[in-house]
Amino acid sequence: MPDRPVPRPSSQRGGGPARSPLLTAVAVTVVLEAVLLVAGAAYLVHGLLVEDATEPVAAVVLALTTLAFAAGLALCAHGLLQRAAWARSPVLVWQLLQLAAGWPAFSGGSPWLGVLLVVPAALVLVGLFLPPVSAQLSR
């Protein structure tokens, strides 16, 4: 039986440099955003099952859409970890949408929700354009 070559760790594929810790931090933050979306979908389903929902079809559609966005974000986070250039654009767009959704919460009486949405989005936006991250996502 011939010896198989030992596979290199994913951070060393292609002989390139190791993945930047900043890129890993950005990807982990995107994963946390996806987890928060799953929690939001669970909250919608809980409200649908426990409380008397006035629009059950809308709640189900919204929960499914939220789960689809969570899956997309998780896929993009995986792409960031693999240093795929395609992952930057959807993550960037999501962060802008998240900023737009979170900013009004500060004046709407839910500053904790604003912090929960705006802070991670701002960190990811800044992180995507830092030189170590940008260099690893450019091809």
Side-chain angles (χ1 to χ4, degrees):
M1 191 188 253
D3 289 334
R4 291 181 159 196
V6 178
R8 288 186 275 187
S10 63
S11 64
Q12 295 293 321
R13 283 192 187 137
R19 184 173 48 242
S20 165
L22 290 172
L23 179 57
T24 302
V26 167
V28 166
T29 305
V30 172
V31 167
L32 291 175
E33 291 173 347
V35 168
L36 285 174
L37 281 173
V38 171
Y43 179 76
L44 287 169
V45 170
H46 170 73
L48 182 65
L49 297 176
V50 174
E51 299 171 11
D52 187 25
T54 58
E55 297 289 336
V57 174
V60 169
V61 170
L62 185 57
L64 291 175
T65 303
T66 303
L67 289 174
F69 277 118
L73 270 180
L75 180 67
C76 289
H78 182 266
L80 289 174
L81 289 174
Q82 299 299 315
R83 294 183 272 185
W86 62 264
R88 180 192 289 193
S89 295
V91 169
L92 176 73
V93 169
W94 180 257
Q95 302 315 310
L96 293 174
L97 290 172
Q98 192 168 307
L99 278 173
W103 197 258
F106 288 113
S107 62
S110 300
W112 62 270
L113 183 60
V115 169
L116 195 63
L117 292 172
V118 169
V119 170
L123 291 175
V124 170
L125 277 173
V126 169
L128 284 174
F129 291 103
L130 289 174
V133 174
S134 187
Q136 290 197 338
L137 293 177
S138 298
R139 294 189 192 219

